[in-house]
Amino acid sequence: MAEMTKTADASGERGDEDLLSPVPDDDGAPFWRYAARGELRVQACADCGELRFPPRPCCPHCHSFADTWHLTNGRGRIWSYVVPHPPLLPAYAALAPYDVVLVELDEAPRIRLAGNLVSGPDAPLGSVPPGRIRIGARVQAVFAEVNGVTVPRWVLERT
Amino acid sequence: MPGIKDATAVVGIGQTAFAKQLPESEKTLACRAILAALDDAGIAPAEVDALASYTMEETDEVEVAKAVGLGDLTFFSKVGFGGGGSCATVAHLAAAVATGQATVGVAWRSRKRGSGPRPWRNTAVQLPTPAQWTRPFGLLRPADEIGMLARRYMHEYGATRDHLFNVALACRNRANQNPAAMMYDRPLTREMYMTARWISEPLCLFDNCLETDGALACVIVSAERARDCRQRPVYVHSAAQGLPAQHHGMVNYWNDDPLTGPAWTAARHLWKHADLTPEDVDVAQIYDAFTPLIPLSLEGYGFCGRGEGAAFTEGGALEIGGRLPLNTGGGGLSEAYVHGFNLINEGVKQLRGTSTAQVPGAATCLVTAGEGVPTSALLLRN
Ligand SMILES: [Zn+2]
């Protein structure tokens, strides 16, 4: 069973040291291992090729248990977003209001990844003013390290 | 196959007070609500042989049965997915009674959500698989997850905050008629709504349900037995649960159309087994943990077309005398938030003719459970 762990470290310069880290289950673990290498990959059926997310043990289309991890180009568009305000967990309250975006991947529009739109790979949550966020905006995955875990973040594509 | 159509009836309802903080324990509140419901029905606790509640209910069957003196139980079930399970508790009992597995069933929910901890603060017991994809990014609370759907819905269909206000106002107006409602003496204005603090943009404080301590219960018996009970029977005409193919967790962002949720699945089954259509529904109790669930559910249950749920709320449609009077006790937004169980009891009150905001001559009522999560629904008639 995957649970969220929360480090008790004192907050650092970016203020994100108390953010929740993903605790993967068996099926999700490869996603985070590839993210640590700076790759945004999604699970694909090794037999029929269908992409699937979230990861699971077998293919709902052909029932194969063989999988591969498809390297995406990391591009997508904002499908929707919210701007949370307190009450929140303390580390998130400290950064609020921040955005959470849902990005639909160019290569598989049914796959929509939750994440944060930031002004650069190392910028904190909330670094893009909410007024600059638009549904449909093109974004690109970047990677940031939080508590020793690499997570995808999103930046606006340069136009 | 005979099915469950009109085979069973709700013959007793009970509830405790609703408040931000009640001194008694959840177990004590559960016992009080259950005994009140049995007393309302005129049925002795020793006759009860079936129970149903939510997996999130913390008082288990053993504790309830021995505290209130129930008889030998031959059927007991719990339904998962939080507020999605509300109507399914009644549906499971209806199925058990209709098939002879039990004769007197009690469904209940007791919760100290008003004075107790907020579930989303417990990061160790989040839904395990979905959580890794959402929580680290600060999508922490149900309000954030539903806010995501709400923003997209507004974008795709031109829904506005005024539409969400229509929902909040209808519920508040009914609560202002209901002395048991937490918001009984607290009117809501458009200005209050539009200037309220944000919870998760685009949702503000008044788009979110209350935090309540309280408990409710109801009693289900066969239609035959119901004719001899103290109260006018309210028949379970149709019932359904809904877990769509390829669904996922609290909300499903990973299918072709996240704005088509479990309500659509439950609705297809509900209407297929009913003699009624949405046009025949006199009053509706629609699960309202968040205002956007109302337009989404109006579409899902077939009261209007896809994308028309927001416009449906215009012109006082949800008020008494409107096209579909909604949540006539005040709902989760303004009466009490007890995982939707108060919507079931309010549906029964309407069909007995005893609601504090009675729809004249109401003969049919739709009650729904949480949309977004795997859900359930009941079609009641008198
Ligand atoms: Zn396959």
Side-chain angles (χ1 to χ4, degrees), chain A residues 3-4 20 24-25 31-32 53-56 60 79-83 85 87 92 98 100 102 110 112 114 116, chain B residues 120 123-124 129 131-133 135-138 141 147-148 151-152 155 198-199 201 246 248 253-256 258:
Chain A
E3 294 177 348
M4 293 301 149
L20 298 172
D25 57 3
F31 178 93
W32 301 105
F53 188 89
R56 66 204 70 165
W79 186 83
S80 188
Y81 66 99
V82 290
V83 181
H85 292 250
Y92 293 87
Y98 58 88
V100 187
L102 205 56
R110 273 187 297 114
R112 302 180 188 87
N116 306 105
Chain B
W120 54 265
T123 55
T129 297
Q132 66 186 310
W133 311 113
R135 300 287 183 273
F137 307 111
R141 307 160 298 183
M148 195 72 90
R151 170 97 61 189
R152 180 70 192 191
H155 172 81
W198 295 114
I199 299 297
E201 296 176 55
Q246 296 294 311
H248 189 97
Y253 300 140
W254 301 296
N255 61 1
D256 287 327

Side-chain angles (χ1 to χ4, degrees), chain A residues 12-77:
Chain A
E13 195 178 309
R14 281 195 348 229
D16 60 5
E17 273 67 14
D18 280 333
L19 298 182
L20 298 172
S21 295
V23 176
D25 57 3
D26 289 347
D27 300 317
F31 178 93
W32 301 105
R33 279 203 303 273
Y34 289 119
R37 294 192 214 157
E39 295 175 359
L40 190 76
R41 289 184 184 251
V42 294
Q43 192 184 29
C45 177
D47 285 312
C48 75
E50 185 84 13
L51 299 176
R52 61 184 192 254
F53 188 89
R56 66 204 70 165
C58 56
C59 173
H61 302 277
C62 77
H63 313 123
S64 166
F65 281 75
D67 69 353
T68 60
W69 282 77
H70 172 78
L71 178 64
T72 75
N73 63 12
R75 294 210 163 106
R77 289 152 66 98

Side-chain angles (χ1 to χ4, degrees), chain B residues 69-298:
Chain B
L70 303 184
D72 293 343
L73 300 187
T74 58
F75 180 92
F76 31 99
S77 83
K78 288 207 169 168
V79 187
F81 309 106
S86 63
C87 294
T89 62
V90 172
H92 284 201
L93 293 174
V97 170
T99 56
Q101 297 178 73
T103 57
V104 178
V106 171
W108 88 95
R109 181 75 172 113
S110 176
R111 200 178 190 209
K112 296 190 74 170
R113 175 66 180 76
S115 57
R118 292 169 165 147
W120 54 265
R121 284 198 180 276
N122 187 346
T123 55
V125 271
Q126 298 283 1
L127 296 172
T129 297
Q132 66 186 310
W133 311 113
T134 53
R135 300 287 183 273
F137 307 111
L139 201 65
L140 299 175
R141 307 160 298 183
D144 304 315
E145 296 177 303
I146 298 299
M148 195 72 90
L149 293 184
R151 170 97 61 189
R152 180 70 192 191
Y153 183 78
M154 294 162 100
H155 172 81
E156 274 194 41
Y157 297 113
T160 66
R161 293 193 67 214
D162 265 306
H163 292 120
L164 302 183
F165 169 65
N166 290 342
V167 172
L169 180 65
C171 291
R172 184 59 62 92
N173 286 342
R174 298 298 81 74
N176 295 157
Q177 296 174 260
N178 174 10
M182 290 175 75
M183 293 295 135
Y184 174 55
D185 52 6
R186 308 266 292 272
L188 177 67
T189 65
R190 185 174 181 278
E191 191 194 349
M192 286 165 67
Y193 178 89
M194 291 297 171
T195 57
R197 67 186 169 89
W198 295 114
I199 299 297
S200 192
E201 296 176 55
L203 303 183
C204 74
L205 179 67
F206 296 111
D207 293 310
N208 287 259
C209 60
L210 303 171
E211 296 178 323
T212 305
D213 284 6
L216 301 104
C218 71
V219 182
I220 291 96
V221 299
S222 70
E224 189 179 22
R225 166 118 194 222
R227 288 191 275 277
D228 300 326
C229 286
R230 190 176 283 166
Q231 303 286 351
R232 181 181 189 181
V234 172
Y235 297 97
V236 178
H237 181 66
S238 183
Q241 290 184 264
L243 167 53
Q246 296 294 311
H247 191 68
H248 189 97
M250 168 83 192
V251 290
N252 187 3
Y253 300 140
W254 301 296
N255 61 1
D256 287 327
D257 179 14
L259 298 178
T260 298
W264 272 257
T265 302
R268 278 192 291 274
H269 186 88
L270 190 79
W271 298 121
K272 182 178 163 190
H273 293 275
D275 298 336
L276 309 167
T277 69
E279 287 188 355
D280 301 318
V281 172
D282 296 324
V283 56
Q285 318 295 335
I286 298 181
Y287 194 90
D288 58 344
F290 307 100
T291 56
L293 298 183
I294 301 301
L296 291 172
S297 298
L298 288 170

Side-chain angles (χ1 to χ4, degrees), chain A residues 106-138:
Chain A
D106 277 2
E107 293 164 78
R110 273 187 297 114
I111 297 181
R112 302 180 188 87
L113 300 178
N116 306 105
L117 187 69
V118 290
S119 59
D122 294 317
L125 267 60
S127 53
V128 175
R132 285 195 56 209
I133 306 172
R134 293 281 180 274
I135 288 177
R138 305 199 58 82

